[in-house]
Amino acid sequence: MTASVPTPSSDDVSVAFKGVSKHFGASGESGAFTALNNVDLNVARGSITGIIGRSGAGKSTLIRLVNGLEKPSNGKVLVDGVDVGALDEASLRNLRRSVGMIFQHFNLLSSRTVFGNVALPLEIAGMDRRAIEARVRPLLDLVGLADKHARYPAELSGGQKQRIGIARALATEPKLLLSDEATSALDPETTQSILELLKRINAELGLTVLLITHEMEVVKAVTSDVAVIDRGEIVEWGKTFDVFTHPKHETTRALLSGLPGSKLPDAVARGLKPAASAGDRAVVRLTFFGATAERPLISQLIKSVGAEVNIIAGTIDEIGGKPYGSLVVAYAADAETSARAERFFTENGLVTEVLGYVA
Amino acid sequence: MSPDLLLLIAKATFDTLRMVAIAGLIGSLIGLPIGIFLATSGRGELFPAPNINRVVGLIVNATRSTPFIILVVAIIPFTRLVTGTSIGTKAAIVPLTIATIPFFARLVEAAIRDIDKGLIEAARAMGATPTQIVFKVLLAEARPALTLALTMTIVSLIGYSAMVGAVGGGGLGDLGIRYGYQRFRPDVMLIVVVVLIVLVQLVQSAGDRLARRFDKRSRKN
């Protein structure tokens, strides 16, 4: 799977996992299990890389290896070429000050104000009061919460808390930001605004972002690269656009099927048959991207197929900044119509998948 | 009521306050670090020392399971060593302090263990040292709970301080036993009880108010 991805030179790599395994508990012991198995993965500098998997797939363990909150059982995790597992405690603390982290449940101190929370990593780094003040103010501006600096976390909404979490993670001016399910506790609208913020800081500060999530929506909205993890193994890895448009592994397909627009309406899904009988209609999914996504395909399809074409489900979207469309259509399943349709699909370079037949 | 009696009550109240204050201060100053140690020295925690943790836990439990009145008598040699006497207010401070240490330590441990582990992880991810985590995260976040723990400790101490009266310890308990009980003076007994109730009420409500002020976890302000 990884063979299709060109190996970048080490200068372009922010984080590299090299044959990383992580076992919990001694083997043979009850409760012992393998969280990660021989993971190889490169996080490109300046990218927003997503790691997606179901819960228990090992993604939390994976992200915690990057800042040494967990140690690998085998293999190496390199951050800017430095082997995290080989660092002593003091060097590890220094490394952590150059890697920001945000969390699903924000993990803000309830006893500190907004200002105090963002100031915490700077106090830990031993910065003096005045320098802290000068650093924190612009960060609160950046996340749009300057007016809330004297408030306590309990007085803020979830989205505001995560903005504080982000400001706090950026306080030490890290080169890398780790996001541990940062939007999983937020509603969809707030999720979007937090993702926009992540995108902005990635673009404006040139920060590499490594995020883990179980939501394809998140991956689709912000990442440039994605790795799919399943039972401790990376099963697919590549540019987000390629993985979304040409998913190879069944886990990827299963995760993608949850996206809106990719699901068939229940009434159609129930009536779907694997083979056609006389008078049936074929249900076909068309996937198109790049230039094809911008052409008036439907009208052309109707013209060239010359029969009624129903649109059953569809979505047009952007993945990694590229237009992408998925359309499920139905047309008469007789040999003549099918042949015309297939010719049209081939001529236009459309990826098609026959989902089944309906009466 | 005679002025003499009033003077006795005033003196006894002062003695009780003095015993509680000194034992409370020394006891919680020693109990606090022990409580922090108990809460942070388990396997895989900030200062992992599971064996010492177990030994300290055992000593704490042993002290706590000894009935206070037995403790007072049992440590008389030690009390005499420290204060030169085994009777009176000064001598009573020793067993009171000894009883306070494990009591407060366990409450401190519970208060710290109650803090969300995510905060410790966040602080570690920031590059905090274990000591920084204790002072900047654990103690700061546990402040409301620690205030309540101290309040509870002082209230218990007031009760214990009355108990040392039974073995010649001085203070309100001593007054109640010698005058109220042995000299059949129900009025004195009543006053002793009322003063104790008032003391406990004052301590409790002051502690509650302080803890509420420290607690920023709800949206009230």
Side-chain angles (χ1 to χ4, degrees):
Chain A
M1 215 65 67
T2 55
S4 63
V5 178
T7 310
S9 78
S10 62
D11 284 353
D12 302 330
V13 177
S14 175
V15 184
F17 296 87
K18 295 197 186 299
V20 173
S21 299
K22 174 71 179 177
H23 314 287
F24 287 102
S27 61
E29 210 173 85
S30 69
F33 81 108
T34 299
L36 294 172
N37 189 13
N38 199 21
V39 167
D40 284 302
L41 187 68
N42 287 328
V43 176
R45 195 182 305 286
S47 71
I48 301 185
T49 296
I51 295 170
I52 185 163
R54 301 187 185 92
S55 48
K59 48 192 194 306
S60 293
T61 306
L62 189 66
I63 203 166
R64 278 167 176 69
L65 291 168
V66 178
N67 58 0
L69 291 176
E70 299 278 1
K71 299 252 187 257
S73 309
N74 297 109
K76 281 181 184 175
V77 180
L78 306 175
V79 175
D80 286 332
V82 175
D83 183 355
V84 179
L87 294 176
D88 59 30
E89 279 299 314
S91 323
L92 189 56
R93 282 195 290 271
N94 273 327
L95 175 110
R96 285 171 178 161
R97 285 168 196 171
S98 65
V99 179
M101 189 167 189
I102 55 178
F103 304 87
Q104 177 173 7
H105 297 296
F106 326 121
N107 295 350
L108 300 177
L109 268 63
S110 67
S111 58
R112 281 179 173 242
T113 61
V114 163
F115 183 97
N117 268 287
V118 180
L120 182 59
L122 301 173
E123 285 176 27
I124 284 170
M127 203 182 256
D128 70 68
R129 274 264 141 223
R130 191 168 299 166
I132 289 177
E133 182 100 7
R135 187 75 73 83
V136 173
R137 298 276 167 207
L139 281 169
L140 292 177
D141 281 330
L142 176 77
V143 299
L145 285 171
D147 57 327
K148 299 263 192 276
H149 67 94
R151 297 300 184 119
Y152 287 91
E155 303 170 274
L156 305 178
S157 68
Q160 289 171 327
K161 285 183 201 169
Q162 195 56 288
R163 284 169 183 274
I164 300 308
I166 292 172
R168 180 177 72 177
L170 296 178
T172 50
E173 299 182 336
K175 297 160 283 179
L176 172 65
L177 179 67
L178 306 175
S179 167
D180 179 9
E181 296 273 10
T183 58
S184 297
L186 303 175
D187 61 60
E189 207 175 309
T190 314
T191 295
Q192 282 309 317
S193 80
I194 292 296
L195 294 177
E196 283 305 317
L197 179 60
L198 287 181
K199 245 175 169 170
R200 217 177 89 210
I201 56 183
N202 166 255
E204 286 176 12
L205 309 176
L207 196 72
T208 308
V209 180
L210 176 60
L211 64 87
I212 62 170
T213 181
H214 64 274
E215 297 167 311
M216 268 295 181
E217 282 289 347
V218 170
V219 173
K220 193 188 78 179
V222 290
T223 65
S224 53
D225 301 77
V226 65
V228 181
I229 187 169
D230 187 36
R231 271 166 258 165
E233 297 187 21
I234 302 285
V235 295
E236 195 157 351
W237 173 32
K239 288 285 166 202
T240 306
F241 189 82
D242 299 336
V243 172
F244 268 62
T245 51
H246 299 98
K248 292 185 184 70
H249 195 272
E250 62 177 296
T251 304
T252 316
R253 291 209 189 92
L255 287 163
L256 282 170
S257 69
L259 284 178
S262 52
K263 242 174 89 179
L264 287 179
D266 283 350
V268 177
R270 266 199 302 276
L272 218 54
K273 299 179 291 184
S277 42
D280 274 0
R281 302 164 67 74
V283 179
V284 178
R285 182 195 300 281
L286 314 176
T287 309
F288 42 95
F289 20 83
T292 36
E294 284 154 12
R295 287 211 311 264
L297 274 171
I298 308 298
S299 57
Q300 288 173 9
L301 173 68
I302 293 168
K303 264 182 234 157
S304 49
V305 175
E308 278 177 59
V309 175
N310 283 12
I311 299 174
I312 289 174
T315 178
I316 304 228
D317 218 327
E318 247 185 33
I319 298 168
K322 290 189 216 168
Y324 157 85
S326 159
L327 196 60
V328 179
V329 297
Y331 49 80
D334 61 87
E336 201 190 327
T337 313
S338 297
R340 274 204 302 270
E342 269 157 39
R343 198 168 335 115
F344 174 79
F345 297 147
T346 323
E347 281 166 8
N348 286 279
L350 293 177
V351 176
T352 62
E353 180 190 359
V354 178
L355 301 174
Y357 302 88
V358 286
Chain B
M1 198 177 295
S2 69
D4 281 356
L5 192 58
L6 277 178
L7 203 68
L8 265 178
I9 291 166
K11 166 96 171 48
T13 306
F14 174 79
D15 282 347
T16 292
L17 289 177
R18 190 165 77 119
M19 287 190 291
V20 169
I22 296 174
L25 186 72
I26 301 173
S28 51
L29 279 179
I30 301 172
L32 181 70
I34 294 177
I36 295 171
F37 175 79
L38 284 172
T40 56
S41 57
R43 194 182 302 279
E45 292 178 331
L46 289 175
F47 304 98
N51 289 327
I52 307 176
N53 179 296
R54 224 165 295 138
V55 172
V56 173
L58 214 67
I59 296 170
V60 163
N61 286 345
T63 321
R64 290 205 58 198
S65 52
T66 311
F68 181 65
I69 200 80
I70 307 287
L71 182 80
V72 172
V73 181
I75 63 164
I76 281 177
F78 178 69
T79 304
R80 204 172 271 142
L81 189 77
V82 176
T83 63
T85 171
S86 66
I87 47 169
T89 310
K90 214 164 93 180
I93 289 172
V94 177
L96 284 173
T97 306
I98 300 291
T100 300
I101 294 169
F103 185 86
F104 188 60
R106 280 292 185 213
L107 292 176
V108 168
E109 181 191 6
I112 289 177
R113 286 209 181 276
D114 215 31
I115 294 168
D116 184 358
K117 296 283 168 290
L119 296 183
I120 299 175
E121 184 176 55
R124 286 180 65 210
M126 286 174 209
T129 62
T131 314
Q132 283 175 323
I133 293 175
V134 167
F135 286 98
K136 290 195 178 288
V137 177
L138 299 182
L139 290 181
E141 285 289 298
R143 201 155 66 148
L146 290 175
T147 308
L148 289 177
L150 189 62
T151 306
M152 200 191 275
T153 304
I154 293 172
V155 167
S156 297
L157 258 177
I158 293 174
Y160 284 167
S161 77
M163 240 186 277
V164 287
V167 286
L172 285 165
D174 176 54
L175 184 70
I177 284 168
R178 282 193 294 122
Y179 286 73
Y181 177 61
Q182 289 166 348
R183 296 185 191 180
F184 306 106
R185 291 282 304 268
D187 54 336
V188 175
M189 193 61 108
L190 186 69
I191 291 170
V192 164
V193 171
V194 169
V195 171
L196 284 172
I197 290 173
V198 170
L199 280 182
V200 168
Q201 284 295 341
L202 286 177
V203 169
Q204 188 67 53
S205 57
D208 285 346
R209 206 167 316 137
L210 203 59
R212 260 200 309 279
R213 171 144 14 121
F214 288 149
D215 192 352
K216 308 294 183 187
R217 282 171 299 185
S218 62
R219 281 172 174 265
K220 56 183 186 284
N221 30 5

